[in-house]
């Protein structure tokens, strides 16, 4: 069994009121150490509630949660965790370096290491020149980068980032993405909560979608975005009799020459079949008829398409 | 806890109003040092001047008999005339002591009535600020318990206020003692009473701050509690209200902190070296404060942010 960074069992949260709000329905979730996990969902889906429950900011109505095997009810469960909250506020009267040192102390970082680590991280988030400036003078983007540095001070094994690119310009956004990829490469578990689906798609190995407090999709980005049983086929042109025989399953798409890296004279077709054996049967027939196959790729939808589809299901019913 | 303690100290130092309180305390003792001149001869006060103006006209004032409405001397149980000195709230009888103790009682009273309210104003929002979105998310997700977070904040507030009280009372005590040669160490006990009552009242600030997350509300509610406690402390109130309200008044007085009783009785008694009548107002106030803090810690631990 893999080392689990996050594990929840029937974790649920209902806020009192009339009527009560079921912010999170009983949720079973396991995130292995080293995964880069993206949590998606429309506003009010329960994403923030889940994060709060994992970090002990809110108490579950039922169920349990653990971080690296320790119940989240124990403060020490948060020892290996770095967290960047959305809309965080740091004391404006502290400098960036003082802020990092202070939160390093709260995170249990050894005194001798605090200053060195602060210097490293200020450089990493491009705030080296602003380390002695008061946080109150920072722009939103600088605050966000300082927040990321704060989350990484204790060299966490799990980083929970809530809208990490919020307020950051495109260049900074790319840098944060690179940073997340570097964390992933270092084996750090990343839990990413973002509305920027393209970013989630780029950096996450696994994605889950919450809707109305219920986990409605969970899987790898590749699996979730695979579109039924359809493939893009790039090949030499079909002989007329072959095209006629396979007309029901294979439809011309467009000239492959227009796609990058394709050689002239190739054609692109959309293959729609019930399963993989049927696909291989078609490929065998094509080869038998002298067609040379360049590439076969599963048809995928973008994460954004999937998200809209899932949210649309909610709207419809 | 250390992190929150240090953060709170920085926050208090960033709030200029706390620095202002230290400045005011400094002005008080410096003013006493330079403005009040005591002429002590052979251990007795020959004269006292405030800003160069004579403030006493000799010890005969204290030896004068107290007169009744008909202008006749009031006699004690032994048939002896009662003098002004007999009516002083402390045992000392010399003019020197009356001036020194009077000045110390004035500082203690001002420190109590004005100082506590100013201190509440300066620090009242700190507990509620802990619950502010954005700040609470960063702090409570560190590997420290919520109790330690709240305790760190409260300890820092208490440390600063104890330092401020000790600074003011200690400096005034030193100035008056050096000037008069009359050392009244019991005056220093007033530090405990004033600081203790601040701590009690801050329990209300803490409880309301944790519950509501609003600094202004916690300050207003605390002032309200103080006001009600002062009303309930009126000695004749129970006799004046109807029988239905009598238990309410009685219960309210005993439950709420005895801010008025401590301020009008205990603090002057301690400051002037007089006999302490009863510690009940102080001890029952401590009990009230302890309950407030206990509730605040429970609430803070269970709260959803």
């Amino acid at each position: 069994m893999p080392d689990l960074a996050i594990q929840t069992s029937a974790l649920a949260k209902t806020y009192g009121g009339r009527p009560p709000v079921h912010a999170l329905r009983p949720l079973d979730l396991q995130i292995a150490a080293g995964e880069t996990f993206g949590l998606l969902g429309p506003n009010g889906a329960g994403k923030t509630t889940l994060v709060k429950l994992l970090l002990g900011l809110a108490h579950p109505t039922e169920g349990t949660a653990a971080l690296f095997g320790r119940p989240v009810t124990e403060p020490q469960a948060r020892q290996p965790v770095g967290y960047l909250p959305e809309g965080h506020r740091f004391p404006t009267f502290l400098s960036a370096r003082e802020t990092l040192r202070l939160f390093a102390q709260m995170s249990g970082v050894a005194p001798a290491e605090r200053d060195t680590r602060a210097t490293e991280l200020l450089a990493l988030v491009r705030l080296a020149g602003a380390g002695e400036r008061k946080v109150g003078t920072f722009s939103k983007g600088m605050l966000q980068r300082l927040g990321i540095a704060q989350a990484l001070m204790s060299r966490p094994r799990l980083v929970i980032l809530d809208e990490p690119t919020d307020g950051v310009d495109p260049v900074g956004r790319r840098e944060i993405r690179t940073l997340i990829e570097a964390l992933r490469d270092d084996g750090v578990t990343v839990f990413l909560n973002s509305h920027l689906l393209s970013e989630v798609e780029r950096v996450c190995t696994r994605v889950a979608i919450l809707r109305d407090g219920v986990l409605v999709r969970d899987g790898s980005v590749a699996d979730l975005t695979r579109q039924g049983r359809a493939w893009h086929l790039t090949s030499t042109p079909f002989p007329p009799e072959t095209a006629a025989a396979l007309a029901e399953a294979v439809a011309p798409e467009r000239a492959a020459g227009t796609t990058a890296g394709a050689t002239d004279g190739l054609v692109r077709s959309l293959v729609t079949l019930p399963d993989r054996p049927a696909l291989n049967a078609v490929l065998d027939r094509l080869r038998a008829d002298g067609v040379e196959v360049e590439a076969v790729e599963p048809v995928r939808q973008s994460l954004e398409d999937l998200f809209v589809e899932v949210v649309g299901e909610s709207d419809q019913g | 806890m250390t992190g929150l303690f240090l953060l709170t100290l920085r926050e208090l130092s960033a709030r200029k109003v706390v620095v202002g309180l230290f400045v005011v305390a400094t002005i008080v003792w410096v003013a006493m040092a330079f403005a009040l001149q005591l002429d002590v001869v052979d251990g007795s006060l020959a004269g006292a001047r405030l800003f160069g103006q004579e403030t006493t006209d000799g010890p005969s004032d204290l030896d004068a008999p107290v007169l009744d409405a008909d202008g006749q001397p009031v006699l004690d149980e032994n048939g002896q005339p009662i003098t002004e000195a007999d009516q002083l709230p402390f045992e000392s009888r010399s003019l020197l002591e009356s001036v020194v103790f009077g000045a110390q009682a004035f500082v203690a009273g001002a420190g109590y009535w004005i100082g506590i309210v100013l201190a509440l104003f300066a620090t009242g929002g700190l507990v509620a600020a802990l619950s502010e979105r954005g700040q609470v998310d960063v702090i409570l997700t560190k590997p420290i318990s919520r109790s330690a977070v709240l305790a760190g904040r409260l300890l820092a507030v208490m440390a600063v206020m104890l330092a401020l009280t000790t600074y003011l009372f200690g400096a005034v005590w030193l100035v008056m003692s050096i000037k008069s040669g009359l050392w009244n160490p019991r005056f220093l006990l007033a530090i405990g009473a004033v600081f203790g009552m601040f701590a009690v009242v801050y329990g209300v600030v803490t409880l309301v701050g944790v519950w509501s997350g609003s600094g202004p509300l916690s300050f207003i509610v605390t002032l309200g509690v103080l006001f009600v406690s002062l009303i309930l402390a009126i000695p004749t109130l129970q006799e004046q209200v109807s029988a239905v309200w009598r238990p309410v008044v009685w219960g309210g007085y005993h439950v709420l902190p005895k801010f008025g009783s401590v301020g009008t009785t205990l603090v002057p008694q301690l400051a002037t070296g007089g006999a302490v009548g009863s510690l009940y107002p102080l001890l029952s106030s401590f009990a009230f404060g302890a309950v407030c803090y206990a509730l605040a810690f429970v609430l803070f631990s269970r709260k959803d942010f």
Side-chain angles (χ1 to χ4, degrees):
Chain A
M1 187 175 173
D3 186 17
L4 292 176
I6 295 174
Q7 184 174 25
T8 72
S9 174
L11 187 69
K13 179 67 181 176
T14 301
Y15 290 103
R18 291 183 181 176
V21 178
H22 300 288
L24 189 68
R25 307 277 182 175
L27 173 71
D28 294 304
L29 181 68
Q30 294 186 335
I31 299 175
E35 273 192 299
T36 307
F37 180 86
L39 183 64
L40 304 175
N43 292 333
K47 305 188 299 295
T48 302
T49 299
L50 173 58
V51 171
K52 284 183 174 181
L53 292 173
L54 292 175
L55 292 169
L57 285 167
H59 302 286
T61 312
E62 58 181 284
T64 58
L67 301 173
F68 294 102
R70 290 188 85 146
V72 295
T73 47
E74 296 176 16
Q76 285 308 309
R78 299 190 288 273
Q79 183 68 58
V81 181
Y83 175 50
L84 170 73
E86 185 183 11
H88 55 76
R89 283 181 49 203
F90 294 129
T92 52
F93 48 84
L94 295 180
S95 70
R97 182 180 295 279
E98 286 171 333
T99 302
L100 292 182
R101 278 202 297 241
L102 177 78
F103 286 109
Q105 183 178 34
M106 290 187 196
S107 301
V109 177
E113 200 191 343
R114 286 174 202 157
D115 211 43
T116 319
R117 186 74 179 138
T119 304
E120 277 173 22
L121 287 170
L122 285 169
L124 185 70
V125 297
R126 283 198 305 126
L127 288 175
E132 311 310 322
R133 263 176 65 183
K134 293 277 187 264
V135 171
T137 65
F138 276 22
S139 68
K140 194 173 179 187
M142 291 169 82
L143 283 172
Q144 195 69 354
R145 283 185 271 143
L146 180 62
I148 291 172
Q150 171 273 141
L152 300 178
M153 272 303 282
S154 60
R155 300 183 194 279
R157 288 194 288 151
L158 166 64
V159 178
I160 298 178
L161 303 171
D162 203 344
E163 301 293 352
T165 54
D166 190 26
V168 179
D169 60 35
V171 176
R173 206 172 288 171
R174 175 177 286 187
E175 287 169 352
I176 290 172
R177 199 165 57 229
T178 306
L179 182 65
I180 294 172
E181 286 165 350
L183 289 171
R184 183 186 62 195
D185 296 343
D186 287 345
V188 175
T189 312
V190 179
F191 185 112
L192 183 61
N193 190 359
S194 174
H195 279 110
L196 288 174
L197 302 180
S198 57
E199 282 180 5
V200 173
E201 192 167 14
R202 284 188 192 190
V203 298
C204 291
T205 51
R206 182 178 159 201
V207 170
I209 300 178
L210 273 177
R211 192 187 67 203
D212 300 329
V214 178
L215 191 70
V216 290
R217 295 283 194 282
D218 181 11
S220 70
V221 174
D223 285 345
L224 289 177
T225 54
R226 184 174 295 139
Q227 184 78 299
R229 307 307 287 169
W231 293 264
H232 292 295
L233 171 68
T234 308
S235 66
T236 54
F238 299 176
E241 59 275 17
T242 306
L246 298 176
E248 274 191 27
V250 183
E253 223 173 333
R254 60 189 165 104
T258 58
T259 59
T263 53
D264 289 342
L266 296 179
V267 294
R268 195 170 162 94
S269 311
L270 181 65
V271 183
T272 308
L273 289 164
D275 51 30
R276 196 183 309 125
L279 170 68
N280 279 284
V282 168
L283 293 175
D284 290 343
R285 167 72 191 267
L286 291 173
R287 286 196 197 95
D289 293 349
V291 175
E292 292 180 1
V293 175
E294 174 82 7
V296 180
E297 305 162 81
V299 174
R300 298 184 191 285
Q301 60 181 161
S302 70
L303 199 54
E304 187 174 330
D305 294 335
L306 174 71
F307 182 80
V308 170
E309 182 185 304
V310 170
V311 173
E313 287 171 10
S314 167
D315 293 341
Q316 288 161 18
Chain B
M1 189 158 75
T2 314
L4 248 295
F5 183 84
L6 295 176
L7 173 63
T8 307
L9 289 186
R10 289 295 305 267
E11 208 164 336
L12 282 168
S13 118
R15 289 179 182 219
K16 300 291 184 270
V17 66
V18 174
V19 179
L21 287 179
F22 273 96
V23 170
V24 169
T26 304
I27 290 170
V28 169
W29 73 257
V30 168
M32 294 195 88
F34 290 100
L36 183 64
Q37 299 298 323
L38 299 175
D39 299 328
V40 180
V41 179
D42 293 335
S44 298
L45 186 65
R49 290 186 301 278
L50 188 61
F51 293 105
Q53 189 74 31
E54 198 73 31
T55 59
T56 62
D57 53 5
S60 57
D61 287 340
L62 285 176
D63 295 332
V66 175
L67 303 178
D68 62 16
D70 300 326
Q72 298 300 312
V74 178
L75 303 178
D76 64 12
E77 55 194 14
N78 298 321
Q80 298 298 314
I82 295 175
T83 64
E84 294 288 347
D86 291 329
Q87 292 200 321
L88 290 173
F90 37 85
E91 292 168 359
S92 54
R93 295 290 178 265
S94 77
L95 181 63
L96 175 65
E97 286 176 326
S98 73
V99 169
V100 171
F101 289 178
Q104 290 178 340
F106 173 77
V107 171
Y112 184 82
W113 294 100
I114 302 171
I116 287 181
V117 174
L118 287 179
L120 287 176
F121 179 73
T123 58
L126 285 172
V127 173
L130 263 185
S131 303
E132 282 176 12
R133 190 169 154 70
Q135 177 156 285
V136 70
D137 303 313
V138 181
I139 293 173
L140 292 189
T141 52
K142 300 300 176 199
I144 37 180
S145 71
R146 291 190 182 187
S147 299
V149 168
L150 187 56
R153 173 132 295 198
L154 291 176
L155 282 176
V157 171
M158 295 305 151
V160 169
M161 287 308 144
L162 182 59
L164 179 63
T165 316
T166 306
Y167 173 64
L168 173 63
F169 283 46
V172 167
W173 177 71
L174 273 177
V175 165
M176 293 302 293
S177 300
I178 291 168
K179 275 180 167 286
S180 66
L182 185 64
W183 296 82
N184 170 30
R186 286 193 58 178
F187 173 71
L188 298 177
L189 291 176
I191 295 173
V194 172
F195 170 71
M197 283 307 286
F198 168 78
V200 166
V201 174
Y202 206 74
V204 183
V205 172
T206 305
L207 180 57
V208 180
V210 165
W211 170 71
S212 69
S214 164
L217 182 65
S218 56
F219 182 63
I220 290 167
V221 170
T222 305
L223 288 186
V225 168
L226 291 184
F227 181 73
V228 171
S229 77
L230 289 176
I231 299 289
L232 294 175
I234 296 172
T236 56
L237 185 64
Q238 283 200 53
E239 298 157 15
Q240 291 171 350
V241 297
S242 67
V244 178
W245 282 97
R246 211 159 286 158
V248 177
V249 171
W250 182 88
Y253 172 75
H254 288 283
V255 168
L256 292 176
K258 318 296 180 289
F259 194 69
S261 303
V262 174
T264 55
T265 310
L266 189 62
V267 170
Q269 285 170 345
L270 289 172
T272 59
V276 174
S278 169
L279 287 176
Y280 173 74
L282 192 64
L283 296 179
S284 61
S285 298
F286 284 168
F288 173 84
V291 170
C292 284
Y293 283 115
L295 288 174
F297 271 87
V298 170
L299 199 58
F300 192 65
S301 295
R302 295 184 177 177
K303 195 172 181 181
D304 286 334
F305 292 98

